[in-house]
Amino acid sequence: MRSAILKTALSALILVLLGSVPAQAASKPDTFPLPNGFQPEGIEIGPGPHAYFGSRATGDIYRADLRTGKGSVISKGPGTPSLGLKTDGRRLFVAGGNAGNARVVDLRTGRVLKSYQFATGTSFVNDVVLVGRAAYFTDSSNAVLYKLRLGRGGALPDGFDTIPLTGAIAYGTGINANGIAPSPDRRSLLIVQSNTGKLFEVNPSSGVTTEVNLGGDSLVNGDGLLLSGRTLYAVLNRDNTIAVVGLSRDGSSGKIVKRLTHPEFDIPTTVAAHGHRLYLPNARFSTTPTPDTPYDVVAVKR
């Protein structure tokens, strides 16, 4: 018995020394590249250890394996942006930026299942969240939410609802409503207003907004949001920081309890989680994009 145990241990040591450790035993990379010139913005993770990224340049959807950092384009874009992303496990809901639209992509085939033209004038469809049987999209240029009512089995609707945002929020110059997430009790939505640094609760039926009391804290440059329990992760893009906000159960108040950063951050925009890690794509807004500009993804511990 002892001989067999020693033989097994020796075999494992040889595998490590030869770099032949099985993929599941290898540590995940802390950073990994995206295609040159990709200009990433949105990220979504799952099912499994697979991350999806949208291109601001072409709208391509890129899928990477978090275990290796390697990936490929699974869906060619329409030549307009792909920004915020959310998956229901089989489909990817994609916010279309200044094209004023959204589309839903089959994760298995990369085929566009349905497209929605929300606006034809000035518009910036920035982010999306799935709550209950609906998908909600923010527009950073217009004080509205766009809603897709999902039918039985998640059936995609033919049309959409436009919900005016009223109450406390006031749109101004610059990027307004940006990232969106559910409140901890899932009775309302949370949106961050990038230019003012304010966080708002939104009644998803009426569109009435109330400002979340952050005790004087600000989320200026707030971009992507990620809710985990009663913890809200807010990416402050040009600050190269993640503000970690502890929220009340109903989401009406909160406080920044921690700030996370990393030396490899270069204007990250959005965030998704896998295990004990947060993953963020570097949008590099301050770098003039070319077809050869490198882009990457950075992982930090929660």
Side-chain angles (χ1 to χ4, degrees):
M1 176 69 75
R2 180 179 297 175
S3 175
I5 293 173
L6 288 173
K7 186 179 291 186
T8 301
L10 181 59
S11 298
L13 178 59
I14 291 172
L15 285 172
V16 170
L17 293 175
L18 293 178
S20 301
V21 179
Q24 63 267 27
S27 61
K28 299 181 182 70
D30 295 327
T31 64
F32 57 86
L34 295 173
N36 284 358
F38 189 76
Q39 297 184 48
E41 209 279 353
I43 180 175
E44 174 68 320
I45 295 176
H50 296 100
Y52 297 86
F53 303 89
S55 169
R56 306 191 312 275
T58 63
D60 286 356
I61 302 297
Y62 182 89
R63 178 171 60 203
D65 189 324
L66 297 178
R67 296 167 296 187
T68 63
K70 297 182 179 181
S72 61
V73 171
I74 64 157
S75 181
K76 296 296 291 183
T80 53
S82 290
L83 302 185
L85 310 172
K86 285 295 180 295
T87 177
D88 63 0
R90 56 194 174 97
R91 303 172 298 189
L92 194 68
F93 292 73
V94 183
N98 58 12
N101 61 18
R103 66 189 190 280
V104 183
V105 175
D106 187 300
L107 289 181
R108 185 176 60 85
T109 65
R111 184 170 65 91
V112 176
L113 300 173
K114 211 147 198 176
S115 296
Y116 300 89
Q117 190 64 48
F118 295 143
T120 55
T122 300
S123 179
F124 199 80
V125 182
N126 207 331
D127 204 0
V128 55
V129 69
L130 299 176
V131 178
R133 293 173 60 177
Y136 297 89
F137 296 79
T138 58
D139 188 327
S140 299
S141 298
N142 302 297
V144 299
L145 293 178
Y146 305 109
K147 178 181 180 180
L148 301 182
R149 297 176 183 265
L150 305 180
R152 181 173 298 179
L156 297 173
D158 292 328
F160 60 91
D161 299 328
T162 300
I163 304 171
L165 294 177
T166 60
I169 196 168
Y171 270 42
T173 302
I175 302 295
N176 290 278
N178 194 332
I180 184 169
S183 64
D185 63 9
R186 304 187 76 84
R187 294 182 179 180
S188 60
L189 304 173
L190 299 172
I191 57 174
V192 65
Q193 189 175 17
S194 300
N195 50 4
T196 65
K198 295 179 179 181
L199 185 68
F200 295 92
E201 266 194 295
V202 186
N203 182 311
S205 298
S206 67
V208 174
T209 64
T210 55
E211 185 176 349
V212 175
N213 181 0
L214 294 178
D217 286 334
S218 173
L219 298 177
V220 166
N221 294 323
D223 204 324
L225 300 179
L226 172 67
L227 183 74
S228 178
R230 286 169 56 181
T231 299
L232 183 72
Y233 297 95
V235 182
L236 311 185
N237 53 34
R238 294 187 183 272
D239 296 340
N240 289 316
T241 297
I242 306 167
V244 184
V245 183
L247 291 170
S248 62
R249 189 176 301 278
D250 64 359
S252 63
S253 63
K255 183 175 179 59
I256 296 178
V257 297
K258 185 165 52 174
R259 294 178 187 268
L260 304 175
T261 189
H262 192 283
E264 297 297 323
F265 280 172
D266 191 353
I267 311 184
T269 44
T270 48
V271 59
H274 188 259
H276 297 293
R277 288 180 158 196
L278 302 173
Y279 289 84
L280 301 92
N282 277 322
R284 308 194 69 192
F285 288 149
S286 61
T287 300
T288 301
T290 73
D292 298 318
T293 301
Y295 293 92
D296 62 0
V297 182
V298 178
V300 297
K301 290 183 180 180
R302 295 203 207 196

